[in-house]
Amino acid sequence: MAELAGVTVRTLHHYDEIGLVHPSARTAAGYRAYAAGDVERLREVLAYRRLGFGLREIAELVDDPATDAVAHLRRLRGLLLEQRDRAAAMVTAIDRELEARSMGIRTTPEEQLQVFGAQLYDAIGSAYPATRRTEPRIAARIWEALGDARTVLNVGAGTGSYEPPDRDVTAVEPSAVMRAQRPAGAAPCVAAAAENLPFEDRSFDAAMAFSTVHHWQDPIAGLREMRRVARRVVVFTYDASGTGWRQRFWLTRDYLPEFADLLVDWPALADLTSAIGGRAEPVLIPWDCADGFFEAHWRRPEAYLDEHVRRAVSVWTRVGPEAEQRAVNGLREDLSSGRWAERNRDLVALDAAELGLRLLVA
């Protein structure tokens, strides 16, 4: 048992002595004999221990009569995903500082501490409520595409934007920071990843995903999972197919060419639609879009100078501080000189723009 669990025999003896894991029986020779239930309890103890819980806290958790083995597994999974999210955010911050230092840029003491601070991922995710809100005109398209579905799974649900209020919604969100920001009364939220949805086939009438597919490790696998668990699928995403997509948006064309590097391995639109067996429909972005996603401020360029607006969009974090600062400085100069207005004078007459956003429907 000690060898299988990766602990010492002394540890098992200690757990027995303090009442944490009692073996169910003893052999005639006096050896501890562990039954299946004992193994299950030991697994929970070791998992909580390796997450940093103290033995007294663990005893209270595993002795909770209201929590069965499945509930423990779900709780442990959520804690591990949270740990993974924080580690990923820390790696991102370290990469940004490494890139800055390679350019000869010294980060501030505050930025250096944030790289290792416990609140790093909280800081990244906490910008969402201020600038990321449901845009009603886009929401209407999504809710119409859901058809007559009564039960809806929202995959990569974030803080709950675009969840239809008149349906029975279940949310899936791997980030504990995002889950914590879901408003009171929001749909129940499961800690899980799109690529491995913890639901049986055809468990829902529909599955939806809004502006999240680009965060998934395997977009095609995630879309196939959505198709597996629901009879209808609706996905809001981005199309980087075709030769002219780099010229579509003035921000990436003139100020942030690094955006193209983020989409090097992005699946073609045909592959995305094929994964769900559906079709793609263009979604125009209104000039006064309420949701502050990356393309939302296409007719309000001053918004991109706002740090709060940028921090709620993952693109800026992913391109790194040097590219971000260069883009912001260039845009600020062109707005001041009037060059941006001259370059983009045709945009003023538009109420909505086609910037590559797509609604995939199956």
Side-chain angles (χ1 to χ4, degrees):
M1 177 60 67
E3 183 179 353
L4 287 172
V7 298
T8 64
V9 173
R10 183 185 295 275
T11 296
L12 294 182
H13 290 181
H14 181 59
Y15 288 171
D16 184 9
E17 291 165 2
I18 65 175
L20 196 55
V21 182
H22 281 308
S24 293
R26 294 260 184 168
T27 67
Y31 290 107
R32 291 167 172 82
Y34 291 85
D38 306 328
V39 173
E40 197 170 76
R41 183 180 174 94
L42 177 60
R43 178 194 61 195
E44 293 162 2
V45 168
L46 294 176
Y48 284 121
R49 189 74 176 127
R50 288 167 187 173
L51 280 164
F53 286 82
L55 293 179
R56 186 170 298 177
E57 293 176 293
I58 294 172
E60 293 176 358
L61 288 169
V62 297
D63 287 333
D64 182 2
T67 307
D68 60 13
V70 173
H72 277 298
L73 287 173
R74 292 191 183 280
R75 177 190 289 164
L76 287 166
R77 191 175 193 279
L79 291 168
L80 287 166
L81 288 171
E82 179 181 359
Q83 190 178 74
R84 183 196 68 183
D85 290 342
R86 291 182 181 276
M90 186 176 291
V91 168
T92 298
I94 291 172
D95 286 344
R96 293 187 71 188
E97 178 161 356
L98 286 172
E99 182 174 354
R101 290 186 178 233
S102 71
M103 301 293 180
I105 302 171
R106 292 288 297 182
T107 54
T108 67
E110 291 82 5
E111 290 170 334
Q112 291 171 22
L113 289 176
Q114 285 176 356
V115 171
F116 298 101
Q119 296 180 351
L120 171 66
Y121 195 82
D122 295 350
I124 294 173
S126 62
Y128 273 70
T131 62
R132 303 300 298 271
R133 298 180 292 274
T134 298
E135 163 51 53
R137 287 158 290 191
I138 295 177
R141 288 280 305 275
I142 294 171
W143 298 345
E144 180 182 8
L146 291 174
D148 61 355
R150 298 307 308 164
T151 58
V152 178
L153 178 68
N154 187 16
V155 181
T159 59
S161 298
Y162 298 93
E163 290 177 358
D166 59 343
R167 324 275 180 122
D168 181 6
V169 177
T170 299
V172 166
E173 172 54 54
S175 167
V177 173
M178 292 299 185
R179 294 197 303 272
Q181 294 180 77
R182 293 177 63 81
C189 192
V190 176
E195 297 87 345
N196 188 23
L197 297 174
F199 306 105
E200 296 181 358
D201 295 359
R202 298 302 177 98
S203 299
F204 300 90
D205 295 332
M208 61 175 282
F210 184 89
S211 195
T212 178
V213 176
H214 55 285
H215 290 303
W216 300 353
Q217 292 185 358
D218 188 338
I220 298 300
L223 292 173
R224 287 172 176 164
E225 273 288 271
M226 292 178 68
R227 189 61 183 168
R228 178 184 66 79
V229 302
R231 61 178 177 82
R232 179 182 290 269
V233 176
V234 179
V235 177
F236 182 84
T237 188
Y238 184 79
D239 175 20
S241 302
T243 57
W245 70 269
R246 286 180 171 83
Q247 304 300 313
R248 225 164 18 202
F249 187 23
W250 58 261
L251 180 58
T252 55
R253 180 192 67 212
D254 300 331
Y255 303 100
L256 199 66
E258 291 83 357
F259 177 73
D261 297 334
L262 305 181
L263 297 172
V264 169
D265 297 322
W266 183 245
L269 184 65
D271 294 328
L272 296 173
T273 54
S274 177
I276 60 173
R279 66 185 186 278
E281 303 173 357
V283 179
L284 302 185
I285 308 303
W287 76 270
D288 56 348
C289 183
D291 191 349
F293 51 76
F294 183 58
E295 299 85 358
H297 305 288
W298 60 270
R299 216 181 87 176
R300 296 168 289 168
E302 296 83 2
Y304 294 107
L305 304 181
D306 188 334
E307 173 78 12
H308 293 93
V309 169
R310 299 198 305 275
R311 289 289 68 79
V313 177
S314 63
V315 168
W316 296 103
T317 298
R318 294 171 66 195
V319 297
E322 192 272 338
E324 177 182 359
Q325 199 57 53
R326 190 206 64 246
V328 171
N329 289 342
L331 176 58
R332 182 180 289 110
E333 291 174 6
D334 285 355
L335 287 172
S336 178
S337 68
R339 188 182 183 194
W340 183 92
E342 177 61 25
R343 267 183 181 170
N344 300 285
R345 57 182 179 274
D346 295 341
L347 298 182
V348 178
L350 299 179
D351 290 328
E354 203 293 275
L355 297 175
L357 283 304
R358 296 290 182 267
L359 197 64
L360 312 184
V361 182

